[in-house]
Structures are given as C-alpha cells and as structure tokens.
C-alpha cells in the first residue's frame, strides 16, 4: 500500500480581530504583557455576525478544492470535527456539502459524511478516520475532506476569555500525499477527566489551572506510549513539534516537558549534567513529593540553558506564529501549528523533505495523541499557496463595544440581531433560518 497523508491544507480565519494588549487588557485592568508574554497571544480571531462554523468550514474547503482542481466526485468522505456544533442530529458536514453543492452544481450524494467530537483532539481523530478508510482500501481512488472548525468562545468574564478564537482548517487526505505522510504508529494518553466540558451548554465549564496539568499529564503518557511502539525519539530527529495550542504559553510548558523526556539517557543529558546535574530518577527518592520537587528544580534550570533555548527556538517557537494572532481554534489548533511550522521552514528556505514532525494533539476530557509525520518532496508548493497572512491582515479590528455586540451575536442565549462589521465577498455567509430551524447559507460573490 502506498503512503497516506495530507495532500493539501487551507486555513480560514474569522473576519474579525480582537487586540489583546490594546483593547482587551485595559478593559480587564490587566498588564498587557500578561497576554503577550504570559499567554503568548497578541490577538483573537472572531466570526462576524454572518459567519459560523459552517461558513468557515465551507470557505476553507472551497478554497482547497478550487486550488487543487478537485470536483465533488473526487471526494469520498467529508468529516467535520467540531465542538461548537448547533445540532445534535444533523452533522455540520451535511451543511458544508450543501454549501459546496451550490458552487459546483454537482452533488456529494456518494460521499460518506460525519461529525467527530472529542474536544480539540477530534480534528486529529478525523484525520485518523480518513487514514484508516484509505488504508482499508475503501476509498475507491477518492480522497477525504477533513475539516476542523470551531468558534471557541467562553462566557464573558471567564479566565478563558483571553484565549478565544474562531477559524477552520480544511485538509485533503489521499494516497501519495503532497505535504506530509502519517505514521502508522501512534501513542495515546487518555483518561476520564472533568477539566473542561460543555454539558448541554454553549460555553465551557473550565477548571483552567487543572486543565493545564491534565494536558501535560496526558501528553506525557502519549509520548511514553508512542515510544513503546515506535522506539525512542531523539531531539536531533525532530524538525518541529506542532502541539495543540490553546495559547502559546501552554506549549512553552509542553515543549519543556517533551525535551526533558527525549533527552533522558542521551548524550545531551550527560552534556547538560555539568551545568544543571542529571535528571532526577524516581527510584532515587523515598517519597513522591521530594521527587516532584527535584523534577521542578531540574525543569527550572533546564529552561534557562542555552541548549534548551536553542532547541525551543528552532523546533517549537515556529509552530506558534499564527496562533499568536488568532487564539484557540480548538479542533483546528494543532493543524494551525503544523501549517505555521511549515510556513516558517518555507520562509527560511529550509529543505524539509524527509524530515519529521512529531504532532502532539490534545482534547480536554481528556486525551492526548502523538504521531510522526514525514514531510514529502514538493511540500513547498502546498504551503506557498496559503494566503493566511493576507487573511489575518484583512480582519476588521474590533473596538470593545463591537466585541461585546459580536460576543452576544454568537451567544445562543441572547436574542440579538447584530449588523455585520464587514462585507462578505467571494465567500459563504449565513442567510437566515429555514422552516425547520435549520440554518441557511448562500455564496456571496
Ligand atoms: P489566568 O488565571 O487569567 O492567568 O488564566 P495566569 O494568572 O495563570 O497567567 C497566565 C500566565 O501569564 C502565567 O504564566 C503568568 O505567570 C503569566 P505561567 O506562570 O503559567 O508560565 N503572567 C504574566 N507574564 C508577564 N507579564 C505579566 C503577567 N501576568 C501573568 N504581567 C488560564 C490562565 C490558562 C487558566 C486561562 O486562560 C484559562 O482558563 N484558559 C482556558 C483553559 C485552557 O486553555 N487550558 C489549556 C489546557 S486545556 C486545553 O488545551 C484544551 C482546550 O483547548 C479545550 C479542548 O480541548 O476542547 C482548552
């Protein structure tokens, strides 16, 4: 069987932008650097009042299909991953197909459609579904359209409000892909957790501080599980590590944890030992608390070393460039991180073909997954085609009053009729409600 992976990717951001240091921080009475340096975010993307998870998904998918010259008959599956769905029965993928049918004048009746839910990790799980479908030989030569789309809103005043975001990532999964091949090996860390959930409610109930610890614990398990099937990962073998990025500060913690793990028992640990000692080993401590304290001290020292700083700057920081400007896109977030890394490599003129990405996905509730992706020859053309910089620059900058209105416009419990702040052009837009309470859409030229 040939290799299977991501053939093409497209990103679609919400058309509005909330500046965190200049607009959000003063209203919260916070130091702007809490956002820019602490969380690592400059801005969040928001959907205008005519945008939602369907329009963003359909726009990303249409741009991808159009650029690749794909017709509906080339698509055998449409899988949408989201945790912002507005219907408990009819999947978002059917709405997206309906949108695409308007512009193609052909149908997707032959395509298997679904919707995946497991918080933010559902986007990666949809990739798995597509991969497995192709590997099983059920695809009849067709590819799968996988779309991760979310409007990641928190209740006003929630600590998570600073990490909001909205956007979609569309990916085309095929045999002999043009961007990255996916490894068969995967590692999981999965547990019944209640750190972040939405029990029949739009905005999440979050235990923010604990969610950070749960993310790290599950990621550590996934890494150990991955190495148990694929062998140890050495830092020199990693081009980039795109992590799920609720905000870049989270990835700063995950990066440090990963580095400690992959340098253990290597020559790097020995070289660092002269400066900061060797890593604490559990068996050398009588009790768990003393061991944990020693690990904390080691981590604090490790993050100040030149060796770690250089590794972070080369391997992790480039994955965060887009995230800093858009916030958390939930299911799309790890796929934004991959795109960001590849974009950085392209801009640096780096020859990445044959190199490895280790992708660390995460969803609250909670589960982490790690797999390897190998960048393939020709990847540059795919990344060159992204117009994400132009999209980000074109967003309308929200005033505080506009932000409050737009948050209400997307709040299912508030009956509001908010005038759009931008004008849709060459994109799908919400067009009102149908007789059964369904949402309707049209393509605006
Ligand atoms: P908070 O309590 O407002 O912020 O909320 P803080 O006080 O913890 O400060 C954040 C960081 O900024 C800290 O850095 C501060 O030190 C620093 P750290 O110590 O952690 O490295 N800071 C400053 N730095 C420079 N100058 C300053 C300054 N002030 C503070 N002046 C919290 C933070 C994460 C709790 C909040 O944003 C939250 O609840 N977010 C939502 C939950 C979340 O994103 N969790 C992440 C893990 S769970 C996940 O990723 C899953 C998720 O995507 C959902 C899904 O899977 O569906 C969320």
């Amino acid at each position: 069987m040939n290799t299977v992976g991501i053939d093409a990717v497209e990103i679609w951001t919400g058309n509005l932008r909330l500046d965190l240091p200049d607009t959000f921080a003063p209203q919260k009475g916070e130091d702007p650097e809490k956002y820019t340096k602490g969380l690592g975010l400059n801005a969040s993307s928001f959907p205008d009042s005519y945008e939602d998870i369907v329009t963003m998904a359909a726009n990303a998918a249409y741009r991808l299909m159009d650029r690749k010259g794909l017709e509906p008959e080339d698509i055998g599956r449409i899988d949408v991953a989201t945790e912002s769905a507005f219907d408990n029965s009819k999947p978002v993928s059917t709405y997206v197909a309906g949108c695409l049918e308007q512009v193609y004048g052909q149908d997707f009746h032959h395509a298997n459609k679904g919707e995946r839910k497991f918080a933010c990790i559902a986007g990666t799980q949809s990739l798995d579904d597509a991969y497995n479908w192709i590997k099983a030989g059920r695809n009849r030569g067709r590819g799968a359209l996988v779309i991760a789309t979310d409007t990641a809103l928190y209740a006003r005043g929630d600590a998570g409000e600073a990490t909001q975001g909205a956007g979609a990532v569309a990916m085309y999964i095929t045999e002999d892909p043009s961007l990255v091949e996916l490894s068969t090996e995967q590692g999981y860390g999965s547990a019944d957790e209640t750190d972040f959930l939405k029990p029949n409610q739009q905005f999440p109930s979050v235990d923010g501080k604990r969610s950070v610890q749960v993310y790290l614990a599950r990621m550590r398990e996934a890494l150990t599980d991955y190495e148990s099937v694929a062998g140890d990962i050495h830092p020199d073998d990693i081009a980039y590590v795109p992590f799920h990025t609720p905000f870049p500060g989270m990835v700063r913690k995950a990066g440090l944890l990963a580095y400690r793990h992959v340098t253990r028992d290597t020559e790097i640990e020995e070289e660092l030992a002269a400066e900061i000692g060797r890593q604490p080993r559990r068996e050398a401590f009588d009790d768990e608390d003393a061991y944990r304290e020693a690990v904390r001290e080691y981590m604090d020292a490790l993050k100040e070393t030149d060796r770690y700083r250089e590794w972070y700057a080369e391997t992790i920081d480039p994955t965060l460039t887009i995230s800093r400007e858009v916030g958390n896109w939930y299911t799309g977030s790890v796929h934004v991180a991959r795109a960001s890394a590849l974009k950085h490599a392209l801009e640096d003129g780096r020859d990445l073909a044959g190199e490895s990405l280790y992708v660390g996905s995460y969803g609250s509730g909670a589960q982490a997954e790690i797999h390897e992706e190998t960048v393939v020859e020709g990847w540059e053309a795919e990344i060159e085609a992204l117009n994400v910089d132009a999209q980000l620059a074109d967003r309308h900058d929200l005033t505080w009053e506009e932000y409050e209105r737009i948050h209400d416009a997307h709040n299912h419990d508030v009956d509001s009729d908010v005038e759009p702040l931008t004008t849709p052009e060459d994109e799908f837009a919400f067009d009102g409600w149908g007789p059964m309470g369904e949402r309707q859409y049209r393509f605006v030229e």
Side-chain angles (χ1 to χ4, degrees):
M1 159 58 89
N2 293 338
T3 58
V4 174
I6 306 174
D7 190 58
V9 63
E10 283 293 347
I11 294 176
W12 192 275
T13 176
N15 285 333
L16 307 177
R17 171 185 188 275
L18 177 67
D19 189 288
L20 292 174
D22 290 345
T23 308
F24 189 78
Q27 292 292 332
K28 296 286 165 182
E30 294 276 9
D31 179 353
E33 294 202 339
K34 170 173 176 180
Y35 305 106
T36 52
K37 296 216 166 113
L39 296 176
L41 290 166
N42 298 325
S44 312
S45 278
F46 281 88
D48 206 336
S49 54
Y50 59 84
E51 294 184 282
D52 65 14
I53 50 172
V54 172
T55 64
M56 295 186 296
N59 286 323
Y62 183 36
R63 213 182 118 74
L64 185 150
M65 288 182 66
D66 192 41
R67 177 168 71 74
K68 297 291 281 185
L70 297 171
E71 297 290 326
E73 65 186 12
D74 300 316
I75 312 280
R77 283 178 82 98
I78 306 179
D79 289 314
V80 172
T82 186
E83 54 172 292
S84 331
F86 46 76
D87 192 312
N88 289 326
S89 175
K90 184 175 156 59
V92 170
S93 49
T94 58
Y95 285 96
V96 171
C99 287
L100 294 171
E101 285 172 357
Q102 288 181 34
V103 289
Y104 281 98
Q106 297 168 41
D107 67 56
F108 283 91
H109 292 188
H110 57 276
N112 187 6
K113 306 179 190 83
E115 188 174 301
R116 256 284 192 174
K117 180 182 74 180
F118 192 151
C120 303
I121 202 172
T124 298
Q125 291 183 320
S126 296
L127 274 189
D128 283 354
D129 293 340
Y131 175 93
N132 294 337
W133 172 70
I134 295 172
K135 281 277 181 183
R138 291 176 149 180
N139 61 318
R140 295 188 243 162
R142 290 170 169 150
L145 195 53
V146 167
I147 314 167
T149 182
D150 270 300
T151 298
L153 293 186
Y154 288 77
R156 296 289 312 282
D158 189 287
E161 193 180 0
T163 68
Q164 296 177 123
V169 181
M171 293 166 276
Y172 189 50
I173 316 306
T174 62
E175 282 181 52
D176 293 329
S178 307
L179 193 58
V180 292
E181 298 166 5
L182 305 187
S183 66
T184 308
E185 295 79 12
Q186 296 176 291
Y188 291 104
S190 190
D192 177 9
E193 298 276 8
T194 49
D195 54 325
F196 170 111
L197 55 158
K198 303 177 190 167
N200 288 324
Q201 63 197 44
Q202 184 188 4
F203 301 134
S205 298
V206 198
D207 184 343
K209 299 278 192 263
R210 206 169 78 77
S211 74
V212 170
Q213 297 313 318
V214 175
Y215 177 122
L216 295 173
R218 303 288 81 80
M219 201 59 84
R220 190 184 304 117
E221 285 171 5
L223 190 50
T224 305
D225 191 48
Y226 177 80
E227 289 190 329
S228 76
V229 283
D232 288 351
I233 304 172
H234 189 279
D236 293 350
D237 300 334
I238 309 174
Y240 296 106
V241 188
F243 277 112
H244 167 56
T245 311
F247 52 91
M250 180 70 239
V251 172
R252 219 165 37 222
K253 297 181 205 292
L256 185 62
L257 179 131
Y259 191 73
R260 174 170 68 101
H261 185 100
V262 298
T263 53
R264 191 175 307 142
D265 296 323
T266 67
E267 74 292 354
I268 299 176
E269 183 188 8
E270 294 311 322
E271 284 159 27
L272 283 169
E275 195 180 340
I276 58 170
R278 291 184 77 239
Q279 296 191 19
R281 303 305 204 261
R282 179 65 188 88
E283 54 278 13
F285 292 83
D286 290 339
D287 68 89
E288 186 65 21
D289 287 350
Y291 168 64
R292 283 180 187 275
E293 184 50 35
V295 168
R296 251 192 305 275
E297 279 173 19
Y298 182 84
M299 300 282 261
D300 284 345
L302 179 64
K303 73 173 172 225
E304 300 305 329
T305 61
D306 288 345
R307 185 119 194 198
Y308 174 69
R309 283 170 182 262
E310 276 161 29
W311 182 80
Y312 184 87
E314 280 171 18
T315 313
I316 308 279
D317 199 56
T319 69
L320 304 174
T321 318
I322 301 174
S323 166
R324 276 195 192 97
E325 307 306 323
V326 302
N328 194 355
W329 285 11
Y330 287 160
T331 54
S333 157
V334 67
H335 308 290
V336 166
R338 178 198 299 104
S340 187
L342 295 176
K343 195 166 161 299
H344 176 267
L346 181 75
E347 285 159 7
D348 252 20
R350 182 166 168 184
D351 179 10
L352 212 57
E355 293 205 47
S356 293
L357 315 179
Y358 287 87
V359 180
S361 302
Y362 177 75
S364 284
Q367 181 162 304
E369 187 263 5
I370 290 182
H371 67 264
E372 182 185 358
E373 298 182 359
T374 309
V375 181
V376 297
E377 292 287 350
W379 65 277
E380 294 96 332
E382 288 307 315
I383 297 302
E384 225 154 26
L386 288 176
N387 73 341
V388 61
D389 288 338
Q391 286 188 41
L392 296 183
D394 283 354
R395 289 174 298 174
H396 169 86
D397 247 311
L398 291 165
T399 63
W400 182 253
E401 293 69 30
E402 288 170 342
Y403 163 67
E404 292 192 301
R405 285 210 307 276
I406 283 296
H407 198 284
D408 277 353
H410 295 287
N411 182 341
H412 300 168
D413 293 333
V414 175
D415 193 13
S416 66
D417 192 10
V418 175
E419 282 298 308
L421 295 159
T422 57
T423 308
E425 196 184 332
D426 287 337
E427 64 194 284
F428 295 100
F430 174 69
D431 195 30
W433 302 94
M436 292 180 75
E438 74 275 25
R439 294 184 188 214
Q440 296 178 324
Y441 300 93
R442 75 189 161 95
F443 189 76
V444 183
E445 305 262 337

